[in-house]
Amino acid sequence: MRYEYPQGRRVNALATYEPLAPTPRLDAVPFERTLTSDDLLAYLRERLPAADVPRVVVLDNAGMHTSKVVKAARPGLAKAGIFLYYLPPYSPELNRIEPVFKQVKHHDMPTRSFTSRTDLRVAVDAGFHAYRQRLRPKRDSQPRPTA
């Protein structure tokens, strides 16, 4: 069999997840390249929904999240009502989107080998779409009458 070098055949994704919202929301954008801090900032500015209240974005300590570019952009983001909160190092269990990525990667994408990045990107899109379809609005908090 011919060996195929796996370098460069990776799809990365930027995603936002609001599991506790009245209508839970998952937005994910896959990229067929390595992501940069500029990609993160563009995503935050373009993809976060407008809101009348401040929005807190929870980030881990990945290099692109803690770069000088992101640190310099924080005052401008704050003026737009977007505040960055960093989780403690080595605490993926506190990041609510980690189980989403695990579910998409290991269960919603049952095929693990692709012949092209395009096919992989389509599978990543389909995986996030499948997860998004399972999100349900929170039920009314009103008590229900008993029988």
Side-chain angles (χ1 to χ4, degrees):
M1 284 193 341
R2 186 171 67 87
Y3 175 74
E4 291 185 27
Y5 188 63
Q7 185 66 27
R9 290 197 342 206
R10 179 182 182 118
V11 172
N12 295 297
L14 285 173
T16 51
Y17 181 48
E18 297 178 73
L20 302 177
T23 302
R25 179 177 169 268
L26 173 65
D27 179 44
V29 179
F31 294 83
E32 295 179 21
R33 59 182 170 75
T34 301
L35 297 174
T36 66
S37 297
D38 292 326
D39 294 322
L40 172 65
L41 293 173
Y43 179 86
L44 292 174
R45 290 179 180 126
E46 296 168 11
R47 303 292 291 218
L48 285 183
D52 295 329
V53 296
R55 289 153 296 158
V56 177
V57 177
V58 177
L59 299 169
D60 59 19
N61 290 282
M64 75 175 205
H65 297 164
T66 59
S67 71
K68 291 178 185 178
V69 173
V70 172
K71 287 179 183 175
R74 287 181 81 172
L77 291 171
K79 286 180 183 173
I82 300 170
F83 297 90
L84 305 182
Y85 173 81
Y86 291 93
L87 292 172
Y90 308 106
S91 57
E93 70 280 358
L94 298 177
N95 193 342
R96 291 185 184 249
I97 203 165
E98 289 296 333
V100 174
F101 284 134
K102 183 177 180 179
Q103 175 70 30
V104 169
K105 185 175 182 179
H106 295 288
H107 301 285
D108 293 331
M109 292 176 49
T111 302
R112 303 294 303 155
S113 181
F114 299 90
T115 57
S116 72
R117 267 191 299 196
T118 303
D119 292 343
L120 175 57
R121 182 180 177 146
V122 168
V124 169
D125 276 330
F128 279 111
H129 178 73
Y131 193 96
R132 196 176 297 114
Q133 294 302 108
R134 291 191 300 273
L135 293 176
R136 299 281 179 242
K138 300 290 184 233
R139 296 191 78 129
D140 218 357
S141 60
Q142 298 294 324
R144 293 181 293 152
T146 59

